[in-house]
Amino acid sequence: MVNSGRPRSFDKDIALDAVMQAFWQGGFDGTTYTDLEKATGLHRQSLSYVFGEKLSLFRLAMAHYIDKRVEKAAALLARDLPVMQNVRAVFDAWEADVSSGGGRGCFLVRTTAELGDNPEMRDVLRRGDACLMNAFTKAFHRAQDNNELTTALPPEALARLAVSAGQGAMLQAVARRDPGISRTAHDAFLSLLT
């Protein structure tokens, strides 16, 4: 019997997580196959064979990020705690990303800025945005039902404002290398609602 190829001897999820971290740090254009090989310990041929070429790999890394990080934010917003406490927890998590040693900010935000008009990335980016929007909208509906808010703005508008303020603040904080920018913006947003 002839062996048709060497069996994969790596964990696909671990490799994808390493790929996600590399792309999160460098973006699509700033990350080379050499960077991906260093991050995963795998050769380019193995990465391409299992995950596809660079854009396909990037798309999978973004989907992995949404499944791991964006869904985690949605879960924070759905906790059975006061809604503003949950929103603060999401903002705290985003601020931690800005304050991390690499100052990466949000991978979804960075990718939207870099590849938002790329047709091959559009669906996955929309999925990430929709996940955040749905979670914030549900949270603000609950906050209004519980009389936690001082505003009568529709929950959908508040959700868009929260996502925009949060993401914009992270982008500014990373670009200016000043994590305080995101904290100031998040605090201001929350003070308008309570």
Side-chain angles (χ1 to χ4, degrees):
M1 179 176 196
V2 176
N3 188 351
S4 62
R6 194 173 81 188
R8 280 187 295 181
S9 59
F10 63 91
D11 185 299
K12 193 174 174 181
D13 285 335
I14 292 171
L16 191 54
D17 195 64
V19 165
M20 178 193 76
Q21 296 293 336
F23 277 130
W24 190 359
Q25 186 63 43
F28 180 75
D29 288 334
T31 304
T32 66
Y33 270 106
T34 301
D35 298 325
L36 295 170
E37 288 174 336
K38 285 179 187 174
T40 62
L42 301 170
H43 293 290
R44 176 180 179 163
Q45 295 84 354
S46 296
L47 289 169
S48 296
Y49 177 75
V50 174
F51 299 111
E53 290 303 318
K54 188 177 175 185
L55 186 58
S56 295
L57 183 55
F58 189 85
R59 182 181 164 82
L60 288 170
M62 175 51 59
H64 184 72
Y65 177 86
I66 291 166
D67 294 340
K68 298 278 185 184
R69 301 292 300 247
V70 177
E71 291 288 347
K72 183 178 176 183
L76 286 173
L77 290 167
R79 295 181 307 175
D80 190 22
L81 294 171
V83 172
M84 293 302 105
Q85 186 176 334
N86 293 343
V87 172
R88 176 81 260 170
V90 171
F91 286 167
D92 287 346
W94 290 351
E95 290 162 17
D97 286 342
V98 169
S99 299
S100 68
R104 304 174 300 184
C106 175
F107 187 32
L108 178 62
V109 173
R110 291 182 65 181
T111 300
T112 300
E114 183 180 13
L115 297 173
D117 61 349
N118 184 306
E120 292 185 51
M121 292 300 298
R122 204 169 288 137
D123 287 346
V124 71
L125 294 174
R126 284 182 182 155
R127 182 169 73 87
D129 185 61
C131 177
L132 282 176
M133 282 296 298
N134 290 337
F136 271 107
T137 299
K138 287 177 186 175
F140 288 129
H141 270 292
R142 199 171 86 241
Q144 282 186 341
D145 291 345
N146 296 337
N147 295 316
E148 290 183 51
L149 301 176
T150 59
T151 180
L153 287 172
E156 296 79 7
L158 291 172
R160 179 52 66 199
L161 184 57
V163 170
S164 298
Q167 293 180 344
M170 283 189 291
L171 212 66
Q172 287 292 314
V174 169
R176 306 281 184 271
R177 298 187 187 277
D178 181 0
I181 290 172
S182 57
R183 173 59 73 162
T184 300
H186 296 154
D187 287 349
F189 172 79
L190 291 171
S191 73
L192 295 173
L193 302 183
T194 55

